[in-house]
Amino acid sequence: MAIEPPVVLIRKKDSFLIEKFEGELHTHHGVIRLEELKDKNYGGEISTHLGVKYRIMPFKPADFFKHFRRGATPIMPKDIGAIIAYTGLSPDSLVLDAGTGSGVLAAYLAYFNKYGVVVTVEKREDFAKIARKNFRLAGLRNIHQIVGDVRFVAEGFMKEFDLVVLDMKDDAEFIPMAKQILKTSGYIAVYNPYFEATRGVYEAMVREGFKEIESFEIIRTDLEFKRVGTRPVTRVWHTGFIVIGRNV
Ligand SMILES: C[S@@+](CC[C@H](N)C(=O)[O-])C[C@H]1O[C@@H](n2cnc3c(N)ncnc32)[C@H](O)[C@@H]1O
């Protein structure tokens, strides 16, 4: 079966995203003529002019974080996984994601929400443009992008959202509005790197009557396997805090 872009070329820890089968890819191990990919299969190999081989793989959701273009700092998969699991995202949900940033969170939410829609709102046109390219790359059609300030955009929304996810500056200020647009038993999840802002979000959720509020951080520790032994290599483990509440 002929392969189609996008694909990823993988060798050991290196991975390259290929969006077109034309031109050249310059690696540390030589040059790859990308036209040659047209005659290859998934799982096959392609060689650089120095004979170093790369394995050809389809572009998958696990590649979103590594290969999406970056505008604003994206949220990490470990935190996205927690948001999806703790809010019980089902595949037919209506989700509000603010702000879009690079679109990493929106893309994962859309991927696991196959029969639903993710409405994502970003106030900066330049970031929205980067995210749009990422959504196209991922082939995701169930994302509705809006450019604007979510505090005003959301005034036009109805009480129909299953999940509201916030990763922006005005998180705490937006909690009352989130309460207005969430269905009964809908969830809110807020991601923020700072203690103070997280406390503000927590208190705002309490004030608005959200229940089952949980506030936590997910820690990922990367391991290094060497002949002398195995040890953690993660130096900076903090990314952000997550606060989750249920609209009861
Ligand atoms: C940290 S980034 C979000 C990253 C995103 N979750 C991802 O995974 O790629 C925060 C984004 O929120 C946007 N933003 C901040 N305040 C906003 C607002 N009131 N309405 C819409 N977007 C806002 C910023 O411009 C920025 O792009």
Side-chain angles (χ1 to χ4, degrees), residues 94-147:
L94 181 61
V95 179
L96 172 64
D97 166 65
T100 312
S102 306
V104 172
L105 177 56
Y108 278 104
L109 292 172
Y111 180 77
F112 291 110
N113 183 22
K114 202 172 174 185
Y115 307 109
V117 171
V118 174
V119 178
T120 185
V121 185
E122 170 57 55
K123 67 178 178 186
R124 284 184 53 168
E125 175 66 55
D126 53 342
F127 288 164
K129 207 169 157 186
I130 291 169
R132 197 170 303 127
K133 285 188 179 150
N134 288 334
F135 300 148
R136 206 172 299 140
L137 174 76
L140 294 163
R141 294 175 200 279
N142 57 337
I143 300 179
H144 180 66
Q145 259 193 295
I146 299 175
V147 180

Side-chain angles (χ1 to χ4, degrees), residues 2-202:
I3 63 173
E4 286 187 6
V7 299
V8 285
L9 302 183
I10 297 175
R11 180 183 174 273
K12 295 186 178 171
K13 283 187 174 173
D14 289 343
S15 149
F16 294 98
L17 170 70
I18 307 300
E19 296 183 60
K20 286 181 185 160
F21 292 172
E22 57 189 49
E24 293 180 336
L25 173 71
H26 291 254
T27 76
H28 288 308
H29 304 282
V31 179
I32 296 175
R33 291 184 56 242
L34 297 173
E35 285 83 7
E36 289 177 17
L37 283 166
K38 288 176 186 160
D39 304 319
K40 302 281 184 185
N41 295 312
Y42 293 121
E45 289 177 331
I46 188 163
S47 297
T48 68
H49 78 291
L50 298 175
V52 176
K53 291 182 167 47
Y54 283 78
R55 188 75 70 177
I56 307 157
M57 291 285 143
F59 179 73
K60 292 277 191 180
D63 299 307
F64 290 172
F65 183 76
K66 193 182 277 179
H67 289 300
F68 267 12
R69 291 173 179 81
R70 300 265 169 116
T73 309
I75 181 167
M76 283 182 70
K78 71 177 176 76
D79 296 311
I80 295 173
I83 290 171
I84 288 174
Y86 283 103
T87 63
L89 176 73
S90 62
D92 55 354
S93 306
L94 181 61
V95 179
L96 172 64
D97 166 65
T100 312
S102 306
V104 172
L105 177 56
Y108 278 104
L109 292 172
Y111 180 77
F112 291 110
N113 183 22
K114 202 172 174 185
Y115 307 109
V117 171
V118 174
V119 178
T120 185
V121 185
E122 170 57 55
K123 67 178 178 186
R124 284 184 53 168
E125 175 66 55
D126 53 342
F127 288 164
K129 207 169 157 186
I130 291 169
R132 197 170 303 127
K133 285 188 179 150
N134 288 334
F135 300 148
R136 206 172 299 140
L137 174 76
L140 294 163
R141 294 175 200 279
N142 57 337
I143 300 179
H144 180 66
Q145 259 193 295
I146 299 175
V147 180
D149 188 321
V150 73
R151 293 171 296 178
F152 306 116
V153 170
E155 281 172 4
F157 293 160
M158 297 202 295
K159 200 176 179 62
E160 57 191 359
F161 285 85
D162 299 285
L163 172 64
V164 171
V165 184
L166 308 177
D167 176 13
M168 54 174 194
K169 250 200 188 123
D170 313 297
D171 299 325
E173 197 189 317
F174 191 75
I175 303 292
M177 178 66 86
K179 177 87 178 159
Q180 295 298 311
I181 62 174
L182 271 173
K183 276 183 194 165
T184 300
S185 203
Y187 281 88
I188 181 163
V190 182
Y191 175 84
N192 200 293
Y194 299 108
F195 281 112
E196 294 82 356
T198 300
R199 185 181 178 117
V201 166
Y202 178 86

